Amino acid sequence: MSIDKATAARVAHLARIRVKDEDLETLATQLSGILGWVEQLGEVDVEGVEPMTSVTPMALRRREDAVTDGGIRERVLANAPATREGFFAVPKVVE
């Protein structure tokens, strides 16, 4: 894919980047090169390749998925400027 000067100027405008008119041709060439690399990546056969989360194989630590109340409600509410019926009390913001 080839980028022309007008497209490069529009991309610069959308990215809020000030580019001088004499630099637009260089920007267009560089953007075209980047898009060329992206097109090459699209041609790579990745059939059967597992997605990676890291370059080194590692397993995530797992814990039991259990719902708890934390057991420290009183300690948490002790830091609040105002509480009511076991919850934080906040000023009304909708009129």
Side-chain angles (χ1 to χ4, degrees):
M1 178 176 207
S2 181
I3 302 288
D4 60 352
K5 285 175 59 171
T7 305
R10 179 155 170 74
V11 169
H13 173 74
L14 291 173
R16 306 287 193 258
I17 299 171
R18 183 177 299 137
V19 178
K20 298 177 187 173
D21 288 336
E22 58 267 14
D23 294 334
L24 282 176
E25 188 65 41
T26 304
L27 178 63
T29 304
Q30 291 172 345
L31 289 174
S32 294
I34 291 169
L35 290 177
W37 280 104
V38 171
E39 286 176 356
Q40 284 184 11
L41 287 174
E43 296 172 2
V44 175
D45 180 24
V46 292
E47 188 68 33
V49 177
E50 294 277 333
M52 294 176 26
T53 58
S54 174
V55 294
T56 57
M58 48 192 292
L60 298 175
R61 286 182 271 173
R62 303 202 184 265
R63 63 174 173 79
E64 181 183 344
D65 189 16
V67 177
T68 67
D69 65 357
I72 57 171
R73 176 188 282 189
E74 292 77 23
R75 288 181 21 209
V76 171
L77 291 177
N79 295 320
T83 62
R84 188 174 343 141
E85 299 176 12
F87 296 98
F88 292 104
V90 295
K92 183 178 178 180
V93 293
V94 178
E95 294 181 23

